Amino acid sequence: MDLRIKSFEEYKAKYAQSVEKPEQFWDEIANSFNWVKKYDKVLDWEFETPKVEWFSGGKLNITENCLDRHLAKRGNKLALIWEPNDPKERFVRWTYRELYEKVCQFANALKSQNVKKGDRVIIYMPMIPELKVAVLACARIGAVHSVVFAGFSASAMADRIEDAKAKVVITSDGLNRGTKQIPLKRIVDEALESCSSVETVIVYDCLSWLPNMKPGRDVWWHDVIKDVALECPAEPMDAEDMLFILYTSGSTGKPKGVVHTCAGYMVYAAYSFQNVFQVEESDIYWCTADIGWITGHTYIVYGPLLSGATSLMFEGVPTYPDPGRFWQICDKHSVNIFYTAPTAIRALMACGDDHVLSYSLDSLKVLGTVGEPINEEAWQWYHLHVGKRNCPIVDTWWQTETGGIMISGLGAHSPMHPTHAGYPLPGIQPALLNQEGKEILENEEEGYLCIKFPWPSMIRTTYGDHERCKNVYFSHYDGYYFTGDGAKRDKDGMYRIIGRVDDVINVSGHRFGTAEIEDAMNTNPMVVESAVVGYPHDIKGQGIYAYVICNEMPTDPDFARGSIIETVVEQIGKIAKPEKIQFVSGLPKTRSGKIMRRILRKVAEGEADKLGDTSTLLDPDIVDEIVSGAI
Ligand code: WTA
């Protein structure tokens, strides 16, 4: 049960063992879980197809490992503390037994709505305890959950519903986020106008808004949980049965459904959670992410529960009612482990030190960051003002596709170097590749970050399109999983993540493909063509800079910008709003018609003097126009 490594020496020994005898290494860890039927084989793999199977032949249910197995010893321990958006509202605390009963009850409700093993269920909900219940209830009965972040638009949700061919949507009337309220059910209704697979919508009453309920399709959460039992046997799942789909953006096309399966994901979620955060039995752990992202899946829902930990969940935003909210919550609930994103740290840092200095924060022991590279200044601020120089910071590098943290410190047990994620976790074998696809073996070198051996929680496929999984992740370099990130290894072998090397922009820790944003903009009737790049942004890490060709140069550019932004918000959501829009008469293209984004990136970064060779362009003059009109 306690999977923790307790010193750097032990880490080194375990790491070596995990590389020499990976199967034995993972077998020992997997053995500590509850299996309905023990697996026959630890690992079967090849990266060509790719085909990766962990613990095959095994049968299990992840919720039995999250809930049932804790009841004897931890039935009365808090599983969840929920802090509402409004600090004046009452917070919620549920023990493991209470959570278990609520999950079983809702699982029975899903069954009563004809949800079966393998059915896909879209969850589009606020950060309320019922979101956790909905996720676990799906897993309990073997339905595949796909949580859609409640900031995505109707159109983005419709794409996901269609791709997953979802049968059920679970939502609420609306949600609270800071001073704003968002009508979730209305957005679902709009999305469903174009989706035929959905038979049932279950609506949780969050704001007493009385939304329209479509007869025969829409049912209330409080009605479906009436008269069902508080016990629900867990569906025995094959190790490689799908657990969930989570959509994420890549450099091309629409977001793809990253598929994670039951056993491997379970083992790695628990192992990485316990080791990275070094969680003790009595600790209160808080991850500020939203369950709509992978961080929320692995480190709000599954990792903590698999480990019997107490995890805090927050409905609101860091700046409401004031920029001291995070720290107020840490003091109020005596939070010991705090995990957040660099963008949140930078945003709070910009609001001044007073907000953080008025709280003691003396319960904190370990701090974490995730989502993007953390800059030195934000790291130092976090270390000094939040950690009071007493807390290690774990800079955790990982991805939706990796399922769990791959490179990171392990609590206080690892050497810490600001802006460096550090060493790989046991079982993780990173490699840096050069332009030619050859592995770089030396330190103090930079290259494309790949992984050369499977780990239990790795992506298995992209839903409905295995070829895409192969092309995106396994075809760049034979025999390697390609992350899309660049990294540098320092003289001690520590990794520093540099950022994406593909056409993915990371805005406040959220991934967007340039093509995805361009496609959205191009649906605006004024827009003929567009090209999007990322540029450095003080708070968001990267901002979105769009170059747009309109049918004619807009006479009222502000109006045109407003209209294009509105289109992006409609197509994707507010989180994908372009920060800067420059109207241009053409784009720098090669003779073969390919947009030279390198040039656009340099201009957006304010480095127009470093454009390099532009002689291969079809129309080199366009560059001068773009440079002189840069925003
Ligand atoms: C970036 C989030 C630097 C990286 C868990 C990766 C990071 C992408 C870090 C995945 C970090 C995440 N340092 N960069 N500690 N963590 N990234 O799928 O570019 O939302 O490829 O998963 O975020 O984003 P995703």
Side-chain angles (χ1 to χ4, degrees), residues 286-362:
W286 178 21
C287 167
T288 70
D290 191 289
I291 292 178
W293 312 110
I294 191 66
T295 307
H297 282 62
T298 311
Y299 300 112
I300 297 181
V301 182
Y302 290 112
L305 291 174
L306 287 163
S307 307
T310 300
S311 151
L312 191 143
M313 182 176 170
F314 174 43
E315 183 184 28
V317 294
T319 47
Y320 178 79
D322 64 59
R325 187 68 195 280
F326 271 2
W327 323 126
Q328 178 251 338
I329 296 174
C330 284
D331 276 3
K332 177 174 172 186
H333 296 286
S334 298
V335 170
N336 305 110
I337 299 162
F338 179 73
Y339 189 30
T340 195
T343 187
I345 298 169
R346 287 191 299 262
L348 296 178
M349 194 167 94
C351 296
D353 298 347
D354 290 351
H355 294 287
V356 64
L357 293 178
S358 44
Y359 297 95
S360 94
L361 300 177
D362 55 4

Side-chain angles (χ1 to χ4, degrees), residues 368-608:
T369 70
V370 61
E372 54 177 310
I374 181 164
N375 51 310
E376 175 91 29
E377 195 191 356
W379 194 100
Q380 295 295 355
W381 188 88
Y382 197 31
H383 191 240
L384 174 64
H385 291 306
V386 182
K388 316 286 182 200
R389 290 210 176 91
N390 282 324
C391 303
I393 297 179
V394 289
D395 178 350
T396 66
W397 174 83
W398 60 297
Q399 310 180 294
T400 304
E401 296 85 345
T402 69
I405 295 167
M406 304 286 278
I407 300 180
S408 166
L410 309 180
H413 301 323
S414 309
M416 196 164 65
H417 189 168
T419 76
H420 286 59
Y423 294 104
L425 264 68
I428 306 305
Q429 299 187 33
L432 296 180
L433 268 62
N434 67 16
Q435 293 280 3
E436 287 76 48
K438 268 190 80 91
E439 191 172 335
I440 301 166
L441 299 170
E442 299 79 30
N443 284 348
E444 292 195 88
E445 290 286 341
E446 198 173 305
Y448 300 118
L449 181 60
C450 295
I451 317 285
K452 60 180 171 187
F453 194 83
W455 64 102
S457 62
M458 70 183 291
I459 179 174
R460 296 301 194 271
T461 189
T462 42
Y463 188 72
D465 189 353
H466 194 64
E467 202 54 27
R468 189 165 180 201
C469 173
K470 178 189 166 102
N471 290 337
V472 174
Y473 305 107
F474 296 90
S475 300
H476 289 261
Y477 308 107
D478 279 350
Y480 294 85
Y481 163 84
F482 176 48
T483 64
D485 281 324
K488 185 170 182 180
R489 207 165 34 220
D490 73 7
K491 62 178 187 344
D492 305 313
M494 286 179 114
Y495 286 86
R496 175 187 191 153
I497 311 299
I498 297 162
R500 302 292 303 196
V501 294
D502 54 6
D503 289 326
V504 168
I505 308 179
N506 191 332
V507 185
S508 301
H510 304 151
R511 281 162 65 173
F512 297 101
T514 50
E516 183 188 2
I517 300 169
E518 289 159 8
D519 289 348
M521 288 202 289
N522 296 351
T523 63
N524 184 303
M526 275 185 290
V527 176
V528 175
E529 195 181 358
S530 58
V532 161
V533 295
Y535 73 98
H537 187 284
D538 285 348
I539 306 280
K540 299 178 175 186
Q542 280 191 296
I544 297 171
Y545 192 122
Y547 299 87
V548 177
I549 306 174
C550 290
N551 2 16
E552 51 193 64
M553 268 298 177
T555 44
D556 183 349
D558 284 340
F559 171 80
R561 278 190 196 103
S563 163
I564 293 167
I565 288 173
E566 204 174 301
T567 306
V568 175
V569 171
E570 265 167 30
Q571 297 284 319
I572 305 175
K574 279 208 179 93
I575 45 177
K577 250 196 219 170
E579 206 79 26
K580 297 183 178 180
I581 298 179
Q582 179 182 349
F583 296 104
V584 293
S585 68
L587 291 166
K589 288 188 180 173
T590 60
R591 276 167 228 283
S592 59
K594 203 168 151 319
I595 297 174
M596 283 185 80
R597 279 173 208 280
R598 176 175 60 79
I599 292 176
L600 296 178
R601 246 180 251 129
K602 283 284 175 221
V603 175
E605 285 164 7
E607 297 193 333

